[in-house]
Amino acid sequence: QTVVTQEPSVTVSPGGTVTLTCASSTGAVTSAYYPTWFQQKPGQPPRALIYSATNRHSWTPARFSGSLLGGKAALTLSGVQPDDEAEYYCLLNYGQTMIFGGGTKLTVL
Amino acid sequence: QLQVQESGPGLVKPSETLSLACSVSGGPVSSSSYFWGWIRQPPGKGLEWIGSIYYSGSTYYNPSLKSRVSISVDTSTNQVSLKLSSVTAADTARYYCASGRSYYYGMDVWGQGTTVSVSS
């Protein structure tokens, strides 16, 4: 059974930079998995931030960037703001199956 | 602009079938421009992909749910439906409908979700 792994929790200071990662138990994550990143705040539905590993949606602030890094998908937040405190999920597309990572709780402190 | 909204009974009895609808506005559910997905989130837990349906009619399901789940589209009502049979308490979750333009763009339109509790 394929597993997608994210850091359970990460803490960052306001104004800092942080990178969240998304790994696949099948091996290196590539663009062929169309990595997608979502942000979810309490009581709200997930909001798509990044598609196909590196592309921001029109509504995604420029401080969010996606990449492929060391065999993983990565989401980097630069100049973190208190409003960025949320749960972040990655989603990998394996063709006939999609699998979410367990999520990373980002605390801004 | 495409929008989706989930609806359905908030309470389902164990062993019964959960049936939810996703009402689509801003575009036809039969459009080749979109695919549709269902995702759920148990209380306090992460997201779980349930399955997706594509313009071709092809459906793909989470292997762990495949024997119990069915997703279909109803062009007469412009809705996407989800049916999950033989439910147990483990199926208690908030259920989301989402839409995407392609694998490349991913699922970028989400509904607010609807909460389903399984209890006698």
Side-chain angles (χ1 to χ4, degrees):
Chain A
Q1 180 165 337
T2 303
V3 177
V4 177
T5 302
Q6 299 181 242
E7 299 88 359
S9 64
V10 172
T11 299
V12 61
S13 300
T17 296
V18 65
T19 296
L20 314 181
T21 67
C22 174
S24 172
S25 62
T26 61
V29 176
T30 69
S31 59
Y33 292 95
Y34 303 99
T36 303
W37 288 94
F38 298 90
Q39 177 193 64
Q40 187 180 33
K41 296 181 178 180
Q44 297 183 17
R47 180 177 73 140
L49 294 175
I50 300 289
Y51 63 93
S52 283
T54 62
N55 301 279
R56 278 188 294 268
H57 286 286
S58 58
W59 52 82
T60 304
R63 63 181 181 276
F64 291 87
S65 63
S67 64
L68 294 172
L69 193 66
K72 300 178 183 180
L75 176 69
T76 298
L77 289 72
S78 305
V80 172
Q81 300 181 2
D83 188 56
D84 297 331
E85 185 162 293
E87 194 85 22
Y88 291 84
Y89 293 94
C90 69
L91 175 65
L92 300 182
N93 189 331
Y94 293 85
Q96 295 191 5
T97 301
M98 297 186 190
I99 302 176
F100 283 97
T104 297
K105 180 173 175 55
L106 181 68
T107 300
V108 182
L109 198 60
Chain B
Q1 181 161 343
L2 196 72
Q3 292 184 316
V4 297
Q5 183 172 343
E6 307 85 348
S7 61
L11 182 65
V12 180
K13 289 182 167 55
S15 80
E16 294 188 344
T17 295
L18 178 162
S19 295
L20 298 178
C22 171
S23 297
V24 177
S25 59
V29 70
S30 59
S31 172
S32 61
S33 299
Y34 309 113
F35 72 94
W36 313 95
W38 283 96
I39 300 94
R40 70 181 183 178
Q41 185 170 36
K45 296 189 177 181
L47 301 170
E48 179 182 34
W49 174 77
I50 298 171
S52 297
I53 187 166
Y54 296 84
Y55 166 72
S56 63
S58 297
T59 52
Y60 300 112
Y61 301 124
N62 186 320
S64 68
L65 300 171
K66 189 172 183 177
S67 63
R68 298 194 292 129
V69 68
S70 175
I71 296 175
S72 60
V73 299
D74 186 336
T75 56
S76 66
T77 58
N78 217 41
Q79 291 181 331
V80 184
S81 72
L82 169 70
K83 293 188 187 301
L84 183 65
S85 63
S86 305
V87 298
T88 69
D91 296 309
T92 293
R94 191 158 183 87
Y95 286 76
Y96 294 101
C97 173
S99 174
R101 285 168 284 168
S102 66
Y103 278 3
Y104 181 78
Y105 290 103
M107 293 182 287
D108 57 354
V109 176
W110 288 63
Q112 290 296 310
T114 187
T115 296
V116 178
S117 297
V118 178
S119 174
S120 55

